[in-house]
Amino acid sequence: MAKLKNYNVVLAHFVLFLTFLIVNACSTTNLHVTRVEGKLIPIASDNKESSEISKFIQPYKDHIDKDLSTVLAIAPETLDKNGVWQTPMGNLFSQVVYEKGNPIFKMRENKNIDLVLLNHGGIRTIIPKGNVTARTAYEIMPFENSLVVIVLKGEQIEELLNYFITENKPHPLYGMTFTIGKDNVAKDILIQGKPFDRNAIYYVGTNDYLSNGGDNMVFFRKGIHKYDLDYKLRNILIDYFTEVETVPLLTDERIRVEK
């Protein structure tokens, strides 16, 4: 009987020990990062693997380079970003966005874009005199921004004008002209050649970044409605360059300053 009792005690201890092991095995262990190591793997060296990779991608690279280097148009003069209230680059870019975007908006919504406002900083380079290629468009607009149309009330158009004057930057503008009075307030405001009506609504073309209040253009966030045309500004430029033989130098005065 004593031997059986001792056996039961040993068995009980064994069961407890086994249970302890199982519980510990199933418990969650909190791991912590103590060290991060990195290794530089060259892809452009003289080893066999790199040569094979280069050989594989070379046809694709050649094809892309050919497409980007194809001459689409000619620029008789350099179009730069220099200017106080407007620039040759800004004038062209905003007008091209209107000319290419408005037919699409008209077809989809049976409405017309009234004006286009972009940002000066969004234009990353100039159009140099000479050949204009698809690569030129990529250099001007390397971002993935798309054209959107925002419906603004008259009061937001006034905010837009105040922003323009306060910022004192040559943001690309098309479809609207105005005079900056001696009191630093906009007057003689025309939209599509018609006097500005504070009680009207206007369809303003811009890019998706600005439409969300980028560059402090918060008035766009107050828009009644937003239409996404799913048309990248870069592609707008490429399509325009493809259609014209000569890139014009637009120097028309869209913003005047009262003297």
Side-chain angles (χ1 to χ4, degrees), residues 156-188:
Q156 273 77 63
I157 296 297
E158 291 178 338
E159 291 181 39
L160 181 157
L161 290 163
N162 292 334
Y163 169 87
F164 208 112
I165 296 172
T166 302
E167 282 285 299
N168 193 20
K169 293 180 181 179
H171 295 302
L173 179 69
Y174 180 77
M176 169 190 280
T177 61
F178 62 93
T179 299
I180 302 174
K182 294 181 180 179
D183 55 358
N184 222 33
V185 175
K187 65 179 187 179
D188 302 330

Side-chain angles (χ1 to χ4, degrees), residues 12 27 39 48 51 57 91-92 97 108 110 115 124 135-136 178 183 202 204 207 210 213 222 230-231 244 247 249 256:
S27 63
K39 181 180 180 182
K48 182 179 179 180
S51 297
I57 67 174
N91 280 4
L92 177 73
V97 168
R108 293 183 185 178
N110 197 29
L115 64 117
R124 308 308 289 184
R135 181 176 280 107
T136 307
F178 62 93
D183 55 358
Y202 293 93
V204 184
N207 66 52
L210 299 178
K222 302 176 184 179
D230 194 27
Y231 196 1
V244 301
V247 178
L249 180 65
R256 297 172 295 277

